[in-house]
Structure formats: structure tokens, C-alpha cells
Amino acid sequence: MHPDPARDAGTGHLAAWQREVGLRLAAVKAGRRQDGPFEASLTGVPLGYVRLLSLEADPVRLSRTPGLVESAPARAVAVVLQENGHAALTQDGRSTVLEPGQAAVVDLRRPFSLDERERFRLRVLRVPDHALDVPAHSVRRVTGRALSPRDGVPALLVPLLARLAVTAGRIPPSVADALGGNTTDLLATLVHDASDPDDDDHAGAARDRLVRSVLRHIDRHLGDPDLGPESIAAAHRISVRYLHRLFEDEAVTVSRLVQRRRVEECAKELARRGSVSATVSAVSSRWGFHSPAHFSRAFKALYGHPPGRWRGAAPATTGTVRP
């Protein structure tokens, strides 16, 4: 994995650097704080669905105005780590000064300003909001505050971010995916720690609604042979990883749930039509199975005997399913 340096972000190219920040992070307005040439750089490394950015530049003020929020939405939250220089961060009615080694959460979905008062280096972890899965009102509780790396979740997240900034370009893609998920989990934990107790109830209700939506989607698309975790996650604008997390308490994986529902619908059709129904192969194909052999194994695992014995002999229900 290799970093992707910003294009035309060298001396005197404030506009080009601002454009790259907009492409990689969120649309911002960049205002210089001193006369003369402007030197800046920007690199980025993907960590799965997360992106790690390194920004270095002369003093500059970055602002995301309400107009930019409306015209160029950014569905993401970021953690910024101030490595060099001092900066003033303002968001959600709060302001703080970031000193070297301190971090802060910035909600890219809402206005903010980051005033870098001297030559600086900034590391930014950009996380899509659907992967973070934290209510916006909970994120609002931690914005505009400096995070000290001395205790709590920041003591884990901030050093990890600093280390990733140095090593990310040499990390294999499979490991990078896992690290992206780990840093996302740490960020979500940090936000939850700062939330009100009632927030857990709101988050639980939202998860329940999403699970019900996924179940309805599965039932509507059982006949699609391509139905699986990837297509389900894409339809709900969430990551496959988060989809699996949703079903951790359901005692069944998403793939096995899809297979079980397909088998149940096949069993209903075979039982209902008996000897006059279409062939077992045709029934299984209609409900999304790629091969009769796969269907037979799945059917026997669920009902205890092959579908040929079930057909015409079963009652007009799916019968007793093995636990």
C-alpha cells in the first residue's frame, strides 16, 4: 500500500491544496495567515473504508461554512491529531486550542473552523458516518474539545493514530482493513463514553429498526441468487462488518439466515403442491439456490431428511425444524 500524494500542492498553490483537502476530507475554504509563498503537502492512505490523511502547510485557516455544508455534503466524522504547531478549533459553539500531541473530533457534516497559527503538521482519520453508526447528537457532545492522550479512550486512540501515520504506507491491505475497523470502534467508544445514559436507548432502538429492515429486505429478495451480506449491506448503506455486528445477538449469521429462509420457503412450496409441484430442482432455483446439491444439503441440515422425502409427505406447514 502506498500513499497518494496531493497533486500540485507545492509552493504557492493554496488553491490546489484547498481543492485536494476538499476531495480527500471535506470541502473547506482556506485562508492564508501570512504573505509570501505558500508551501503545503497532503498525502492519504486508505485503511479499508477509513482514510488516514497527513496535512502539512504554512499557517492557514480552514473553515467549513454552512454554505459549503449545504452545497458539498460530507457524510463523515474525523479525528484530527495536531502533531506540530498550535491551532484553534471551533465547532458546535465550543472552542479549544490544540497543542502538539492533542487530538479532537470534528464532525464534517456540520460547520467548523480550524485556525492553524504557525507551520503545522496534522494527521486526520476520516471515518464514514454509516460505519461509525453513532447518532449525530452524540457526536456533537465531543466536538470542539481537546482530547488529552493521558487517560480514557484517547489514551488508546491518539497514540494509535500517531503510529498509523508513520507506518500506514507499509501495512498490507488485509491488516489495514482490520486496523480501520479497530480505529472506528475506538472512535465510537469515545463518543459513547461522552454521551448521556439515554443515548444507549436511542441507539438500541435504531439498531432494532435496522435489523427489522434487513429482515424485510431478505424476505423480499430471497429469489435473487446474489442475495448475500455484500448486497444487503450495500442496500442499507452500511458496511458488511457492521451488518455482521447487527446480528451478533441473533444466534445466526446473515448468510445462514438467508439460507434458512430460502429452505423454509422451498419446504412450504413442496409441501403445499405435493406431487403436482415443479421439480425439486426448479423449486430450489426459484428461491435462489445455485445448485440442487447445495439445496439438498441445506434442506437436510434443517429438516433432517432430503427434500425428495419431504415432497408430498409433509403437512401444509414447514413442520418441525431442527434447532
Side-chain angles (χ1 to χ4, degrees), residues 80-102:
V80 299
L81 172 61
Q82 189 80 24
E83 286 204 331
N84 288 342
H86 293 73
L89 171 66
T90 299
Q91 188 169 40
D92 295 325
R94 292 184 293 270
S95 297
T96 189
V97 174
L98 296 180
E99 300 180 351
Q102 289 186 324

Side-chain angles (χ1 to χ4, degrees), residues 130-143:
H130 65 80
L132 185 61
D133 188 47
V134 173
H137 69 271
S138 296
V139 178
R140 200 184 302 260
R141 298 180 185 278
V142 296
T143 54

Side-chain angles (χ1 to χ4, degrees), residues 149-201:
R150 290 190 292 271
D151 51 28
V153 179
L156 299 173
L157 180 59
V158 175
L160 176 60
L161 182 56
R163 186 61 181 165
L164 284 175
V166 177
T167 62
R170 303 190 299 271
I171 297 174
S174 59
V175 178
D177 287 347
L179 286 173
N182 291 338
T183 53
T184 299
D185 288 342
L186 281 174
L187 176 56
T189 301
L190 185 154
V191 173
H192 283 308
D193 282 353
S195 301
D196 282 347
D198 289 344
D199 286 346
D200 289 339
D201 295 335

Side-chain angles (χ1 to χ4, degrees), residues 209-227:
R209 288 194 297 272
L210 185 52
V211 168
R212 291 195 294 270
S213 177
V214 168
L215 293 175
R216 289 193 297 269
H217 179 87
I218 289 173
D219 279 347
R220 287 196 301 268
H221 296 85
L222 281 176
D224 181 357
D226 294 326
L227 178 68

Side-chain angles (χ1 to χ4, degrees), residues 49-51 75-79 108 125-132 180 183-184 187:
Y49 51 78
V50 172
R51 179 167 287 275
R75 308 302 303 173
V77 176
V79 180
L108 303 176
L125 187 76
R126 188 185 191 279
V127 181
D129 57 2
H130 65 80
L132 185 61
T183 53
T184 299
L187 176 56

Side-chain angles (χ1 to χ4, degrees), residues 2 8 21 33 46 55 74 78 177-178 189 198 240 301-302 305 314:
H2 301 285
D8 301 322
V21 173
R33 290 182 55 88
L55 292 76
D177 287 347
T189 301
D198 289 344
V240 174
L302 192 61
H305 51 77

Side-chain angles (χ1 to χ4, degrees), residues 195-257:
S195 301
D196 282 347
D198 289 344
D199 286 346
D200 289 339
D201 295 335
H202 296 314
R207 282 193 295 270
D208 289 343
R209 288 194 297 272
L210 185 52
V211 168
R212 291 195 294 270
S213 177
V214 168
L215 293 175
R216 289 193 297 269
H217 179 87
I218 289 173
D219 279 347
R220 287 196 301 268
H221 296 85
L222 281 176
D224 181 357
D226 294 326
L227 178 68
E230 290 78 11
S231 65
I232 296 169
H236 290 82
R237 302 180 63 84
I238 59 176
S239 66
V240 174
R241 182 172 176 274
Y242 182 62
L243 176 66
H244 289 311
R245 284 176 55 194
L246 281 175
F247 282 81
E248 285 177 351
D249 296 330
E250 302 296 320
V252 64
T253 66
V254 176
S255 296
R256 288 192 176 276
L257 175 61

Side-chain angles (χ1 to χ4, degrees), residues 283-294:
V283 171
S284 66
S285 177
R286 182 156 49 246
W287 289 103
F289 281 97
H290 289 280
S291 73
H294 178 209

